[in-house]
Amino acid sequence: MKSAVKEIVVGLILAIIVLLAIEGFDVTPFLFLGAMVFVLRFMMDSRTNSKRFEMVGSQRGQENRIPKVTFDDIGGQEVAKREFQEALDFMKLDTQARELGIRPLKGILLTGPPGTGKTLMAKAAANYTDSVFIAAAGSQFVEMYAGVGAQRVRQLFQKVRTDAEKANKASGIIFIDEIDVLGAKRGQNMSHMEYDQTLNELLTQIDGIKVNDEIRVLVVGATNRSEVLDSALMRPGRFDRIVNVDLPDKAGRLHILKIHAKGKPLADDVVLEEIAWETFSFSGAHLESVINEAAIQTLRGKRKQITLADLREAVEKVMLGEKLDRKPSSSEKKRIAYHETGHAIICEKALSGSVSSVTITSRGNALGYMRQNSDSDQYLYTKDELLARIQVCMAGAVAEELIFEQRSTGAISDIEQATKIAKQMVFAGLSPLGVVSTDLPAALVAKAVADVIREQEKIVFGYLQKSEACLHVIANALLEKEKLSGTDFRALFHKIA
Ligand code: ATP
């Protein structure tokens, strides 16, 4: 917004100068003044920017510019840590590597979803190799003036070398987060000349790292969109090591939870394994947030220890958002209770023991929700498993139809989810169409998806009809208590079913 205003003002001034020149005025003093302002701005810009790197990268005014984070502070990334450390060992064996003339490792690219610990990895790398550390984000190099981004790249490399010299260290690490912003394929950006110049400068600087450099520089880039990076950046001799920093599995989640719970007063009932089990698809940042939210809740409750209930509440808050004061009418509440009970009954039918909680409290966008867990993280699904997931998605709407004879808008996100799974089935060759080409006409895909979903709805309707007594008992229990744990739900389910 700010830069748009800036561009309009600059445009207006230029237009006035051109008009004055056409009218016969002598505009030389204006042009001279303009050039002075531009040079001054450029100089100030570079100064503030070099300060920006300094503030982000190193602890200002402190002798020690090496981050305190170590690889032990990073949980659940055993493969990534091992690969990364192996690459860094070259830096530690610098003398032997120089003797053998091994070309220095110049760049390592960390790829993976947000919040998985890429920045932590880069900091730990600096600690591991006793290197000074500077962090910058790709967006810091993007400016509307041609050449500014390239100049910032030069400053960054210069700065890491002077910082290392000052700190009396032999190496420095430059960490560039969101490297895709400046390293995307050339010629694709609107103002591509500026982007291309910046990327070219980065390539030049990386190529400039030599075996005999007094200060060894390593560039660590991070992105969650490695596919958009320019191939020149990825060729051997530049970012020639790619380390995938993925979402943690269950053991990884437990490790991360333990790291963040260290030193916090946990009550005796806390079993972190259970929280790790309930947090499939959470990143390290989510898990850190779970522990933090649970501690905040303990403080609010004026209690001394974090309980399992605090942690469970925190998981729901991180997953779905803050509890809301939204007060649905009593008829809406009843509908929500039957909707969620429908999901839970079908979920339990598909995978016994998998319901972790059912509630009709509004949170984030949800008016109620049913949480489901499985014993192990799963990355591949068979046809039956996908069909069962579609049944669970559609069970809320089907329960509404069975009890109230009409469905409501409450199933929109369930339908989205079911459609997504059915589409996956179609393209995985698991629908009645068999193996299909990826350019299957949209109308055929839509029909195949609708057919798959409709058939599963029929199965769900039949099952819920048979379990209607169970549906009433559990929905009424929910209306009374607002929330049922997986264990309470199963106790009712097995009593009646
Ligand atoms: P982004 O891609 O959004 O920049 P990132 O992958 O760089 O994210 P970090 O900034 O390293 O993620 O992580 C954010 C915070 O989440 C960390 O400060 C830490 O508290 C926590 N965290 C993330 N991953 C881990 C992990 N593997 N082990 C321990 N803590 C983690």
Side-chain angles (χ1 to χ4, degrees), residues 191-211:
S191 55
H192 65 85
M193 282 304 284
E194 162 59 357
Y195 279 89
D196 294 358
Q197 273 188 27
T198 310
L199 176 55
N200 286 340
E201 185 58 40
L202 180 64
L203 298 176
T204 312
Q205 289 293 336
I206 293 177
D207 289 345
I209 300 171
K210 293 281 177 302
V211 185

Side-chain angles (χ1 to χ4, degrees), residues 73-75 77 113-120 177 256 260 284-285 288:
D73 299 321
I74 305 171
Q77 298 292 354
T116 43
K118 297 183 288 297
T119 311
L120 283 185
D177 205 358
I256 297 173
H260 289 289
E288 188 274 338

Side-chain angles (χ1 to χ4, degrees), residues 394-418:
M394 297 314 299
V398 173
E400 285 187 46
E401 188 182 333
L402 180 69
I403 306 297
F404 306 102
E405 286 168 12
Q406 265 193 37
R407 299 183 179 192
S408 69
T409 51
I412 291 179
S413 64
D414 295 335
I415 294 171
E416 267 172 27
Q417 183 66 16

Side-chain angles (χ1 to χ4, degrees), residues 69 71-77 81 110-123 175 177-178 222-224 245-246 248 252 255-257 259-260 283-289:
V69 179
F71 281 112
D72 290 338
D73 299 321
I74 305 171
Q77 298 292 354
K81 280 198 292 190
L110 304 176
T111 64
T116 43
K118 297 183 288 297
T119 311
L120 283 185
M121 282 283 200
K123 286 186 175 167
F175 174 62
D177 205 358
E178 315 158 5
T223 177
N224 37 37
V245 188
D246 231 329
H255 189 182
I256 297 173
L257 285 168
I259 288 174
H260 289 289
S283 67
H286 284 126
L287 295 167
E288 188 274 338
S289 188

Side-chain angles (χ1 to χ4, degrees), residues 76-355:
Q77 298 292 354
E78 297 314 313
V79 177
K81 280 198 292 190
R82 198 174 52 239
E83 271 184 52
F84 201 20
Q85 268 171 300
E86 269 169 21
L88 293 171
D89 283 338
F90 277 110
M91 243 170 133
K92 292 180 83 166
L93 299 171
D94 196 38
T95 323
Q96 289 99 311
R98 277 178 210 239
E99 276 168 16
L100 285 170
I102 295 177
R103 98 174 130 68
L105 177 69
K106 299 177 180 179
I108 298 180
L109 185 70
L110 304 176
T111 64
T116 43
K118 297 183 288 297
T119 311
L120 283 185
M121 282 283 200
K123 286 186 175 167
N127 184 297
Y128 185 70
T129 54
D130 198 27
S131 308
V132 294
F133 179 79
I134 288 191
S139 51
Q140 283 177 272
F141 299 89
V142 179
E143 278 285 342
M144 68 172 182
Y145 306 110
V148 175
Q151 194 208 12
R152 287 186 185 160
V153 172
R154 273 193 299 279
Q155 283 172 347
L156 191 59
F157 277 76
Q158 221 167 11
K159 175 145 182 51
V160 80
R161 290 192 172 101
T162 43
D163 273 8
E165 251 172 39
K166 275 191 216 155
N168 210 10
K169 300 291 174 197
S171 51
I173 288 185
I174 295 176
F175 174 62
I176 307 179
D177 205 358
E178 315 158 5
I179 194 162
D180 44 287
V181 176
L182 80 129
K185 293 185 179 78
R186 279 171 287 191
Q188 287 193 344
N189 273 297
M190 290 267 282
S191 55
H192 65 85
M193 282 304 284
E194 162 59 357
Y195 279 89
D196 294 358
Q197 273 188 27
T198 310
L199 176 55
N200 286 340
E201 185 58 40
L202 180 64
L203 298 176
T204 312
Q205 289 293 336
I206 293 177
D207 289 345
I209 300 171
K210 293 281 177 302
V211 185
N212 296 321
D213 283 350
E214 237 174 80
I215 310 271
R216 176 137 298 172
V217 176
L218 173 72
V219 185
V220 178
T223 177
N224 37 37
R225 298 164 64 219
S226 58
E227 70 288 352
V228 304
L229 292 180
D230 195 293
S231 54
L233 203 52
M234 309 302 291
R235 81 146 170 73
R238 288 173 183 158
F239 281 101
D240 48 5
R241 285 277 201 295
I242 301 181
V243 177
N244 195 13
V245 188
D246 231 329
L247 288 174
D249 60 9
K250 196 164 102 192
R253 295 196 294 276
L254 178 61
H255 189 182
I256 297 173
L257 285 168
K258 282 185 177 161
I259 288 174
H260 289 289
K262 209 153 129 197
K264 299 207 168 58
L266 298 183
D268 289 342
D269 70 337
V270 171
V271 186
L272 287 179
E273 277 82 356
E274 284 199 26
I275 302 299
W277 178 67
E278 290 183 15
T279 46
F280 176 69
S281 84
F282 273 39
S283 67
H286 284 126
L287 295 167
E288 188 274 338
S289 188
V290 165
I291 299 281
N292 195 48
E293 287 296 338
I296 291 174
Q297 205 163 290
T298 310
L299 184 78
R300 277 201 198 127
K302 299 195 173 69
R303 283 177 282 107
K304 292 258 179 292
Q305 288 189 318
I306 303 171
T307 62
L308 188 60
D310 291 325
L311 286 162
R312 287 215 165 108
E313 181 76 19
V315 169
E316 293 193 346
K317 184 167 171 195
V318 172
M319 193 182 277
L320 298 153
E322 191 70 77
K323 258 187 200 163
L324 298 178
D325 286 336
R326 242 181 345 215
K327 294 254 177 297
S329 66
S330 61
S331 66
E332 281 174 325
K333 246 195 157 140
K334 201 168 163 194
R335 187 179 273 278
I336 299 165
Y338 277 96
H339 181 109
E340 297 309 329
T341 306
H343 282 311
I345 289 179
I346 298 298
C347 184
E348 198 63 20
K349 164 186 140 344
L351 189 61
S352 174
S354 63
V355 173

